Structure formats: C-alpha cells, structure tokens
Amino acid sequence: MEETPYSIPESPDLPPPMPPGTKKSSKTWIIVLVVVLVLCCLCTCAAGGTWLWNNGDAILEEIEFTTGMLLPLI
C-alpha cells in the first residue's frame, strides 16, 4: 500500500477509523438544552411581567401603607 502525505497509517493498536457521517455529536443536545432554557426564561419573564402589570398597583399601595406606618416610628 502506497502512503500519501495525507493518509493515516494503519496500526493494529488503533480502532478502525469511523466514516465521517456515522459519528453522533452531543452538540445537538447542548444546543437544544440552551434553546429550551432560554425559552423557559423568556416565558417566566413574560408571566412575571403580566402578573406585575395586573397586580402592581396593589403592591405599590401596600408599600406606601407600610412605609406610612413605619416613618412615624423612626
């Protein structure tokens, strides 16, 4: 067998080389995981923003009430 500068010599200690299309990559699962996490964060922020939009006035009134009660004590 004639060797070219780009060929890999065969060795009995090494496993046979894998064809380029059969190797499965874990990068796909990492990308899917990152996309799912980003979507979960966006949904959480949207739900929190909607809840604050609907309940923000009650929260601010409660803060003003609590602050109004604590200021005379200081």
Side-chain angles (χ1 to χ4, degrees):
M1 182 165 118
E2 187 176 306
E3 291 191 29
T4 62
Y6 299 107
S7 68
I8 299 172
E10 293 182 18
S11 171
D13 297 337
L14 297 175
M18 294 180 66
T22 61
K23 184 178 179 185
K24 295 224 176 199
S25 175
S26 64
K27 289 182 183 179
T28 303
W29 290 111
I30 293 173
I31 292 170
V32 168
L33 180 65
V34 168
V35 168
V36 167
L37 288 175
V38 168
L39 287 175
C40 286
C41 289
L42 288 174
C43 289
T44 301
C45 289
T50 303
W51 185 83
L52 282 174
W53 183 267
N54 292 330
N55 299 314
D57 293 335
I59 293 171
L60 288 176
E61 287 175 6
E62 184 69 30
I63 290 173
E64 288 175 4
F65 176 73
T66 305
T67 307
M69 287 177 48
L70 292 177
L71 283 179
L73 297 175
I74 298 177

